[in-house]
Amino acid sequence: MWLLMQIDVFSNIFHELTLELSTLLDILPAKKLKLNDDVHELLILIKKQCSEIDVKDRDLRSQVIEMLDRIEREIVPDQPKLADIFDKLTLRDSTSCRDEIELLKEEIQSQTDEKAKSDIIALIGFVRYAKCVLYGGSTPRTNSRRRRAAADVSVPADFRCPISLDLMRDPVVVSTGQTYDLNSIAVWFESGHTTCPKTGQTLTHTDLIPNSALKNLIAMWCREQKIPFESTDFNVKSNGVVTNKTALEATRMTVSFLINKLKASQSIDSASRLVHELRVLAKTDSDSRACIAEAAALPLLVKLLGSEHPSLQVNAVTTILNLSILEANKTRIMETDGILNGVIEVLRSGATWETKGNAAATIFSLSGVHAYKKRLARKKCVVKGLMDLAREGPLNSKRDALVAILNLAGDREAVGKLIEGGVVEMVAEIMDGLPEEAVTILEVVVKKGGLVAIAAAYPLMKKLAIVIRDGTDRARESAAATLVNMCRKGGSEMVAKLAAVQGIERVIWEIMGMGTGRARRKAATLFRVLRRWAAGLDAEVSLGAYSNVNMNTSSSIVLPG
């Protein structure tokens, strides 16, 4: 499609080359070369071709341009003409159209001219519309093989995105110096945030710098682990590219077609394919998310959340997840009758782990609005559903639940509900398998939850000491910060529990020398607290009394070797 649009440029270059070739052939002394009959015939054929210009491609280009112009003027394309164009382009089924869209997305990345990028985006919208109208909804390409392969190994902490906790495919650096996966940070920005997710600092700008060195390291690691490594940056539009009118109208026409078909659908399989198309479209960009929500898709999706058909249910909840990325859609989702209860029910009893995980991710997305965070945390079924998924689900689903729990824990009132729901006990259960995620949640809960959280976390002192000794840099940071808060707020009895851990001072000393900057600072604070406690300066240890909580301190704790 893109080559067809560039035919004038290529034909001019080709015309110049054929003129030069024709001149050379005219002055070539063919008779003196004594060529055999076959070569002589070939020479005549080449001369003839040099004098001919095929105009079929130019006619086809004109038809495409005319159709794009009609779409821009909000005129629905004539379906027989559309079919004829795509037949001539050999885009004759859903798969070939999907491949063409992916190639066009890749082409955007190789373009430096903003107009060219905008033109390609218009073509993507055009091909997507034609795919749906001519060939119907398509089933997803399975990517479970890649997901399972990545989940089978322990991903290095530095290779995981701090937002999604998944392996980064396109690491980029924000203005604070922190690295995130391109898709995750783009979703963060699209949701209206202007801060660094990890540090909380206000970003001086939202430019993203590719971390090529880290990406190469991740690619090398993936090859060693035999994990397929695909770049995902084509899912996010380049900075400065604005969807043009043609692309926007093509999206609206596509959404309208899919919604009308879905309303009339009598087959579960047909409905699943149509909702899958909406799911893919909702993942594309903000304009698509807005168009789908404005077309009243949410009431239709509500009815499908309770479907017993696994494919239809997962497509419905994932479409809602993708729609929720847009800030305006969060309100639409929360105010649409049945949506929230439907998502919660899927979280608790979805047909598959993927469905439950995507429901948890939807809770995470909706909780990005502070008022909704409080509202969601007040629902015991939300807290229980997330806890159960974090305990029992496969790795990817666990992480979806843990990210949602971590987001809820950002509110003090919500932390109280999480503690009541057993978040500390859940953290204790998963800490051996997912220490980094577990300790990160515990750090926030202890920081926001006050003395109740300190008391609940008290039995985890030994596990935190083990994480400080054996964990990743990020896990050590969180563990050290948690212990600082526990010792400062818990008083001398808490410090005594930490001091009883054999070899703890040596471990803390090592972090002070070799840890990250934050870990070194927290370790230094812990070291001072322990020394003051040993010197009997209890008053300087505690920031508040803790005498009314029974700790059952053991006299000695030994870290396992």
Side-chain angles (χ1 to χ4, degrees), residues 46 135 137 140 179 229 246 269 303 345 362 386 424 435 467 553 559:
I46 293 173
Y135 312 120
T179 297
F229 179 79
T246 304
D269 183 62
K303 301 175 183 178
E345 188 57 36
T362 305
L386 292 174
V424 177
V467 171
T553 309
L559 291 180

Side-chain angles (χ1 to χ4, degrees), residues 432-451:
D432 292 336
L434 295 167
E436 191 170 312
E437 292 85 347
V439 176
T440 301
I441 290 173
L442 188 62
E443 177 190 356
V444 178
V445 169
V446 167
K447 183 178 180 181
K448 301 274 189 179
L451 295 182

Side-chain angles (χ1 to χ4, degrees), residues 191 323-335 364-369 372:
S191 297
L323 291 175
S324 73
I325 294 170
L326 185 65
E327 197 73 12
N329 283 348
K330 288 178 169 58
T331 301
R332 287 191 177 105
I333 290 170
M334 294 295 284
E335 293 180 353
F364 162 74
S365 178
L366 295 173
S367 65
V369 178
Y372 300 155

Side-chain angles (χ1 to χ4, degrees), residues 115-261:
K115 185 179 184 309
K117 291 181 179 181
S118 183
D119 290 343
I120 295 172
I121 287 174
L123 292 175
I124 291 173
F126 177 51
V127 176
R128 184 179 287 116
Y129 170 77
K131 178 172 79 76
C132 293
V133 171
L134 298 178
Y135 312 120
S138 59
T139 54
R141 285 175 172 165
T142 177
N143 62 352
S144 58
R145 180 179 177 184
R146 178 190 63 77
R147 290 174 65 91
R148 287 199 299 270
D152 287 342
V153 297
S154 178
V155 178
D158 291 338
F159 291 176
R160 280 199 262 133
C161 175
I163 299 175
S164 67
L165 302 180
D166 287 334
L167 179 70
M168 289 188 282
R169 303 281 166 174
D170 288 283
V172 292
V173 181
V174 298
S175 63
T176 58
Q178 300 294 329
T179 297
Y180 301 95
D181 194 49
L182 177 58
N183 276 352
S184 297
I185 194 65
V187 168
W188 176 264
F189 289 157
E190 277 197 338
S191 297
H193 297 288
T194 57
T195 58
C196 174
K198 187 174 179 183
T199 66
Q201 295 174 266
T202 299
L203 297 170
T204 56
H205 57 77
T206 56
D207 293 340
L208 302 175
I209 302 172
N211 192 335
S212 301
L214 180 58
K215 184 172 182 176
N216 290 336
L217 288 174
I218 294 173
M220 290 171 59
W221 179 82
C222 286
R223 284 195 295 270
E224 291 171 0
Q225 301 296 328
K226 295 181 170 56
I227 297 174
F229 179 79
E230 310 93 358
S231 175
T232 57
D233 54 0
F234 55 77
N235 287 326
V236 180
K237 285 187 281 187
S238 304
N239 289 340
V241 176
V242 179
T243 305
N244 58 29
K245 182 74 162 51
T246 304
L248 181 59
E249 292 306 326
T251 298
R252 285 179 177 152
M253 290 177 185
T254 304
V255 170
S256 176
F257 175 83
L258 292 171
I259 295 294
N260 289 333
K261 281 286 187 181

